[in-house]
Amino acid sequence: MLVPFTKTHIEPLTSWFKDEVSLAKWSGPGFRYPFTEDTFFQDLNTEKLASFCLLSEQGDFVAFGQFYNRLDRIHLARLVVNPAFRGKGIAARLINSLIQKGKAQLQLNSASLFVLSDNLPAVAAYQKSGFMKAQYPTRIPLENCEYMVKTC
């Protein structure tokens, strides 16, 4: 079940990032480290980015993701699966749920995302969900970053 992210979800989400490298790989530029729950919440920019939690049937917080309109696509951002639940197909459920929510809210029929090319589990999950590498219309300012798109 996809539910709106609130500040009550911040503590478990922050616990998924044990060091600056894992945080930067997930968050992209601009996230502060070390962080507090308050700075983490601020850096998520939930006022501008639609932010959601994926909960299991038992109510466990299993994944997080955001989306917004970028180049007339549902742009998925900051996707992460709770480390305790990885390898169970949750990334696909998160992606599909966010795309459905994005289609309803943004009235768009394609999706996009950025991924670091050395994040092989993420690249594989996105390809399995139908994303393909594409040329971004301008230079991507982040080293080692790929742009991927999918028609919904």
Side-chain angles (χ1 to χ4, degrees):
M1 173 172 54
L2 198 66
V3 300
F5 178 81
T6 67
K7 200 163 186 180
T8 62
H9 299 109
I10 201 75
E11 187 278 323
L13 181 59
T14 61
S15 74
W16 301 351
F17 303 99
K18 301 298 184 194
D19 55 44
E20 187 172 10
V21 172
S22 65
L23 178 69
K25 186 180 259 189
W26 168 74
S27 68
F31 239 78
R32 289 172 272 188
Y33 188 90
F35 55 79
T36 65
E37 288 182 6
D38 287 335
T39 64
F40 197 97
F41 189 76
Q42 291 165 9
D43 291 347
L44 281 175
N45 200 13
T46 60
E47 291 178 9
K48 292 184 181 178
L49 305 176
S51 304
F52 294 91
C53 300
L54 186 66
L55 303 180
S56 71
E57 291 176 10
Q58 296 74 30
D60 295 314
F61 180 9
V62 297
F64 171 86
Q66 299 177 303
F67 68 80
Y68 60 97
N69 182 338
R70 184 181 196 119
L71 302 175
D72 290 327
R73 288 191 167 103
I74 305 157
H75 190 79
L76 305 182
R78 297 192 178 121
L79 307 178
V80 64
V81 174
N82 180 333
F85 292 89
R86 290 182 183 160
K88 299 179 181 183
I90 290 171
R93 286 194 306 208
L94 175 66
I95 291 165
N96 291 334
S97 296
L98 288 171
I99 288 173
Q100 292 310 309
K101 185 74 74 173
K103 283 175 73 171
Q105 287 185 14
L106 303 175
Q107 303 296 304
L108 298 170
N109 291 314
S110 63
S112 63
L113 54 81
F114 291 118
V115 62
L116 295 177
S117 57
D118 63 354
N119 188 348
L120 301 180
V123 171
Y126 302 150
Q127 288 174 330
K128 191 174 180 180
S129 290
F131 282 86
M132 297 173 43
K133 292 180 183 177
Q135 185 68 40
Y136 193 66
T138 62
R139 184 183 164 277
I140 300 173
L142 203 55
E143 266 314 289
N144 198 29
C145 190
E146 300 281 348
Y147 181 62
M148 299 181 82
V149 298
K150 172 184 176 168
T151 302
C152 309

